Amino acid sequence: MNKLLKYSAFVFGAAFLVFLFLSIKLMVQSPFLPGKSNDFLEELKFHYAFFLPAEDHSFFSKLREGAIDAASSMNCAITFHPIDSDPLSFKMARFSGVDGFGLYLYEKDKNKLQYLSEILQEGIPVVQIENEIIQGPGSFFIGTNNFDVGKGIGQLVLDTGIDTLNMALIYSKKNPGVMSDRNLVEMGIKSVLGNKLSDLRTKETSLNPLDAGILAYDLLNNEPSIDIIVLTDPNDTLVTVQAIIDMNLVGLVQIIGFGENKTIKSYIDKGVILGSIVRNPYRIGYSTVMALKEISMNGYTSAYVDTGITILERKNP
């Protein structure tokens, strides 16, 4: 026992000396010491905060990717916060000291409108992404013009050559930006189709990824006069296409999809999907950071930036 105590004291003493040596070495090499070069640590002057829905859909992933790339190229810092699941952080946002906000709000919630008004009253610039919930000095809009989304849908429908059109337009809570602007979408469709549009029925799917399939079965069994189904979410598009295939209605019921991925492109090339409306979330995220940086540097930026849409169609053989 005495030998054990003797050697343990030696071991602990040696370990302490090693720890002390490493600590001193770390302190000497620290870049924060006076006179030490900080070339590899660049202080970022501007910091912007994004408040986005918590759902990890591809649209928001691409939006974040664009914002991160823009922040990297423009030497500014950005952070991301959930707008729905953590309302307290948005309530306290105006006290955070950030230089501007990128905000994706899709409903006129009383509390959130109040918090947004307080942010603007503090003189902190806000870029509203996809949905312009409130207008005023210091507020800017970047996103998709949903009237153009409707026009794009109408143009794809014209390509069917059907003279009397019976359509079902399926909104989705998975794409709240389009759903909140449904009036503009429908105005855009009607501006293109005019009297050709005999009936336009609107339905809605939840956040459930299988909801669109259930709705498609119900719709086509109970309303067989429908010629065209229009989707406003990529997942809903794929689920509805599978329902059409299962019911042996490919070619009899036309599908206009939403979004862009390999599977949707493949269905378009095969003629299963007539076409798809594609937004550009990467550009939206990138443009938001660009606008915020411009406001910080110059005090102003464009009040409205339309990031446009792309229409995917089958290539002529």
Side-chain angles (χ1 to χ4, degrees):
M1 179 66 71
N2 290 335
K3 287 184 177 181
L4 180 61
L5 292 174
K6 179 180 178 180
Y7 286 114
S8 63
F10 174 80
V11 171
F12 284 123
F16 174 77
L17 289 175
V18 171
F19 176 79
L20 181 63
F21 170 77
L22 293 174
S23 299
I24 294 173
K25 182 179 179 182
L26 181 62
M27 291 174 63
V28 172
Q29 292 179 341
S30 172
F32 301 104
L33 286 176
K36 192 70 178 177
S37 174
N38 286 336
D39 291 343
F40 68 98
L41 290 176
E42 182 179 2
E43 182 179 356
L44 302 179
K45 185 176 180 181
F46 301 112
H47 174 205
Y48 308 114
F50 279 66
F51 281 86
L52 306 174
E55 291 84 7
D56 190 24
H57 299 311
S58 59
F59 178 86
F60 297 116
S61 296
K62 284 289 185 182
L63 193 154
R64 285 192 291 268
E65 182 183 335
I68 290 169
D69 286 352
S72 176
S73 66
M74 298 176 200
N75 296 319
C76 54
I78 57 172
T79 53
F80 297 96
H81 310 272
I83 190 64
D84 294 322
S85 59
D86 186 17
L88 181 60
S89 64
F90 185 47
K91 179 180 180 180
M92 305 303 293
R94 62 193 175 106
F95 303 111
S96 63
V98 300
D99 299 290
F101 293 96
L103 179 64
Y104 191 109
L105 269 178
Y106 52 86
E107 57 182 355
K108 294 186 177 181
D109 177 82
K110 180 180 178 181
N111 290 330
K112 291 173 184 174
L113 283 173
Q114 177 63 33
Y115 305 152
L116 176 54
S117 297
E118 291 171 352
I119 289 171
L120 293 172
Q121 288 170 11
E122 292 287 335
I124 307 170
V126 175
V127 171
Q128 297 183 68
I129 300 169
E130 286 289 76
N131 308 295
E132 193 171 27
I133 300 296
I134 191 172
Q135 295 181 336
S139 175
F140 308 88
F141 172 84
I142 288 178
T144 309
N145 183 333
N146 281 312
F147 183 77
D148 288 341
V149 169
K151 288 173 63 178
I153 292 169
Q155 191 57 55
L156 283 170
V157 171
L158 281 180
D159 292 344
T160 64
I162 301 173
D163 290 328
T164 304
L165 296 157
N166 295 297
M167 291 175 53
L169 175 57
I170 313 300
Y171 294 105
S172 174
K173 288 185 177 180
K174 294 182 285 294
N175 187 0
V178 173
M179 189 167 68
S180 65
D181 249 356
R182 58 199 308 159
N183 289 338
L184 282 177
V185 174
E186 292 165 32
M187 285 173 59
I189 292 173
K190 293 172 182 177
S191 73
V192 174
L193 298 181
N195 294 330
K196 287 181 177 291
L197 184 60
S198 174
D199 188 21
L200 176 61
R201 276 158 279 188
T202 60
K203 303 288 183 178
E204 183 180 309
T205 60
S206 67
L207 296 176
N208 185 337
L210 301 178
D211 202 15
I214 298 170
L215 178 60
Y217 281 112
D218 181 68
L219 198 62
L220 294 172
N221 282 323
N222 296 303
E223 302 183 53
S225 62
I226 290 175
D227 307 303
I228 299 171
I229 298 178
V230 180
L231 290 310
T232 59
D233 172 76
N235 180 79
D236 283 3
T237 298
L238 297 177
V239 173
T240 301
V241 166
Q242 188 59 52
I244 295 295
I245 293 172
D246 293 343
M247 297 177 75
N248 294 318
L249 293 175
V250 174
L252 298 177
V253 177
Q254 300 288 347
I255 299 292
I256 293 177
F258 200 95
E260 177 183 17
N261 58 42
K262 290 182 179 179
T263 308
I264 289 176
K265 287 181 178 179
S266 174
Y267 279 135
I268 291 173
D269 291 340
K270 293 175 181 177
V272 179
I273 296 178
L274 187 64
S276 186
I277 304 297
V278 181
R279 296 177 296 176
N280 194 333
Y282 180 91
R283 184 182 174 192
I284 291 171
Y286 201 102
S287 298
T288 299
V289 176
M290 284 183 63
L292 289 169
K293 181 67 179 291
E294 187 174 15
I295 296 167
S296 296
M297 298 295 292
N298 305 321
Y300 60 86
T301 190
S302 299
Y304 182 98
V305 176
D306 179 10
T307 51
I309 63 167
T310 301
I311 300 176
L312 291 184
E313 296 182 85
R314 186 180 182 184
K315 297 178 181 178
N316 294 324

